[in-house]
Amino acid sequence: MSVFGKFMRGVMLARCRRIERAVCGAVEVQYSTLESLIERGCNTVFGRRYGLNSVHNAEQFARRVEVFDYDSFEPFVERMRRGESNVTCEGRVKMFARSSGTSARSKYIPVTERALKMNHLRGMADVVSLYLAGNPASHLFDGRTLTLGGSCCVESGALVGDLSALLISAVGRWGEMVRAPSRSAALMADFDAKCKAVCRECAEERIVALAGVPSWNMALLRRLLEYTGRRSVLEVWPDLELFMHGGVSFAPYRSAFVDVMGGKINYLESYNASEGFVAIAGECGSDEMLLMPDYGCYYEFAHKDDIVPLEGVKTGVEYALLMTSENGLWRYKLGDVVEFTSLNPYLLRIVGRTQEYINAFGEEVMIGNVEEALLQACFVTGAVVEEY
């Protein structure tokens, strides 16, 4: 292991002590987070409208502030996009993660500089920290991580685009010490041109990890093999050891990745939504993720007509996730449905989307049921899913 690798490993492993303290005191951390969010949100347009200066605990907060989806929260977003300050968070929001989600039209999720640092970037670093803690023989910092992101542009004085592109832009030049490709290639808007540029720049690089959405990465890896004439990814990048993925369920893609890799690597899932970084898999290959309580997000969980804070959740119950965050979101429904598998520590799985649910005749079919059926069909027929 290089001197730089040993140094970075020590830095990242030191973070694990903070993670352990936060996880052990998750309920207390959550209430402290809510108190901090209310304190800084009191003097915003939103805070004055809902009287946050007289809210002193979670019960009062739940009674005072209504639950929002994107449609009901959009008027606040539009004011922020026009450049207005102190709308739902302190100061002016200068970044927006654009996401279509499960609808046809674009959604603009505010991303503050404070949230970028203490939520998204902290989450990315903690993914690496937890991986290194569980894999002492790793050489993750002896090469580069290939991050396949989206694109962004300036609209009305704000940076707007995919969250992945906002993160690449925020990390800056120093990030290119540990990641590839170059920023110019990573932020290309045309996906075909991006793949060609990545292949040119990275085919001869020492790539040790991949990060991004499974579908995008699968498309890139297929083109990489065409570009190099190799039969497997590990023939191109023999030191590749990890794929850090999120955004969609990995289950339908797993067999395709096993096929294209040509050997064993580790797979680590994270729950990093445009609205906030929520959870990280406790171990490679698992879909059970550790809820991260100290990222500036306060969570509530809705089941039927009940909404409970973290300390009120139960295992085996499907909850719609609500978030109040440093991004200026208040009791915002992400659209994700989660289920806790453990309460000590708090481990959860993403089991579906609130809009991907069929119950016309009492069948109660979630997207997870569809994915399981797809996997069984693949097992019976020998089919491999490359795009889903």
Side-chain angles (χ1 to χ4, degrees), residues 32-55 61 64-65 73 76 80 85-91 112 114 296 324-331:
S32 176
T33 296
L34 177 61
E35 181 181 346
S36 177
L37 290 169
I38 291 174
E39 181 180 352
R40 287 198 310 283
C42 283
N43 296 319
T44 63
V45 171
F46 185 95
R48 290 191 294 271
R49 176 176 297 185
Y50 288 93
L52 293 183
N53 59 349
S54 61
V55 172
F61 177 69
R64 186 71 59 84
V65 180
F73 199 74
F76 294 110
M80 287 185 270
S85 297
N86 301 314
V87 179
T88 65
C89 58
E90 293 178 320
T112 66
R114 181 181 174 90
T324 298
S325 78
E326 294 285 353
N327 282 329
L329 302 175
W330 296 89
R331 305 199 81 196

Side-chain angles (χ1 to χ4, degrees), residues 311-322:
E311 68 173 332
V313 301
K314 299 177 181 178
T315 57
V317 178
E318 293 179 348
Y319 295 101
L321 181 60
L322 276 61

Side-chain angles (χ1 to χ4, degrees), residues 191-209:
F191 187 74
D192 288 334
K194 187 197 301 278
C195 286
K196 291 177 182 178
V198 171
C199 290
R200 286 195 303 269
E201 290 187 13
C202 301
E204 301 299 325
E205 280 274 8
R206 185 179 184 183
I207 301 297
V208 294

